[in-house]
Amino acid sequence: MWKNSYKNIYETGTDSELPAPYLSATSTTQTTIKAKINNKYEGYTYKYNNKTINDDTFIAEGLCPASSYAIYVDISKYGITYSTSVSAQTLGIYPTVIGGASSASSIFANGAYTKGDAVFVKEAFKCNGKEVEGKSISVNGLKPNTSYNVDYTITVAYGDNNQYTTTFTDSKSVKTNPLTLTTEQPKVISSGNVIVGATTNVDEEEKN
């Protein structure tokens, strides 16, 4: 029962103080935190988000990935209420750009992210003014031996009925290859006339 201070709990009919209830986070996902009420006594009302908790454990749902939360539980009896809380962080999405130069004038990149219970909305890339939705991006017409930034963005939904969205982005600098010129074996077409060919590492569609 409550006695003297509402933060202290005493065994009924005695002056023996009992350990106060407190929360601990037992596990997390990208959108949930599972919490446990330690020292949960009968005869008290325990509520999270105005919903009564009957068991020792409960789950906070609809949370944003990679975010810190303070989970509060209200404990009531005799019209007196006090709160206890625990802080925990949901797991992340961790998008990662994977890729590199395809040639002296183009780059290619794809991406990876940590899949979990978050509701996936879309993935998109951006590089040198080009934006595409999907799992990869290929950009042509670039300068040789030049660095370009590739952004890879994952959009997920969260909250009650997934009414909110948020994004997670990874960026990577990707450099095109240096321009190379390789001469071919000379070819004699007639007396005194020789053709010397050469190849480059520029994409075929960009060669004149």
Side-chain angles (χ1 to χ4, degrees):
M1 62 176 289
W2 301 122
K3 186 175 180 181
N4 297 328
S5 171
Y6 64 81
K7 289 188 177 181
N8 297 328
I9 296 178
Y10 293 81
E11 187 176 356
T12 302
T14 74
D15 288 329
S16 298
E17 184 175 349
L18 300 175
Y22 69 94
L23 295 180
S24 58
T26 59
S27 63
T28 60
T29 69
Q30 291 174 341
T31 64
T32 67
I33 295 174
K34 186 176 182 180
K36 179 181 179 181
I37 304 174
N38 302 278
N39 304 328
K40 188 174 184 289
Y41 302 107
E42 294 183 1
Y44 294 83
T45 299
Y46 301 81
K47 289 187 176 182
Y48 167 70
N49 274 359
N50 293 320
K51 295 181 180 179
T52 300
I53 304 169
N54 295 315
D55 298 324
D56 291 345
T57 60
F58 65 97
I59 298 176
E61 300 177 304
L63 308 180
C64 182
S67 299
S68 296
Y69 287 89
I71 306 298
Y72 287 87
V73 166
D74 293 326
I75 306 171
S76 303
K77 191 172 185 179
Y78 303 138
I80 301 173
T81 301
Y82 92 97
S83 296
T84 183
S85 66
V86 65
S87 295
Q89 181 167 319
T90 51
L91 301 182
I93 301 295
Y94 309 116
T96 303
V97 177
I98 304 170
S102 297
S103 70
S105 60
S106 66
I107 58 176
F108 173 84
N110 54 20
Y113 66 96
T114 302
K115 296 181 180 180
D117 60 346
V119 177
F120 172 85
V121 177
K122 69 176 181 179
E123 57 188 321
F125 288 85
K126 182 178 180 180
C127 178
N128 197 43
K130 182 178 181 179
E131 297 184 33
V132 297
E133 289 189 22
K135 299 182 179 298
S136 64
I137 187 172
S138 181
V139 186
N140 300 317
L142 306 178
K143 296 179 180 179
N145 200 33
T146 302
S147 295
Y148 293 88
N149 202 57
V150 178
D151 295 331
Y152 174 51
T153 300
I154 296 293
T155 302
V156 298
Y158 68 98
D160 295 335
N161 299 316
N162 297 314
Q163 72 267 44
Y164 306 115
T165 59
T166 189
T167 59
F168 300 89
T169 299
D170 181 49
S171 296
K172 179 181 179 180
S173 179
V174 179
K175 193 174 186 178
T176 52
N177 294 327
L179 181 64
T180 60
L181 183 65
T182 303
T183 57
E184 299 176 345
Q185 183 69 28
K187 182 179 180 181
V188 178
I189 59 173
S190 64
S191 178
N193 294 304
V194 178
I195 294 178
V196 178
T199 59
T200 72
N201 58 342
V202 173
D203 287 342
E204 286 294 330
E205 63 266 26
E206 297 179 31
K207 294 179 181 178
N208 293 324

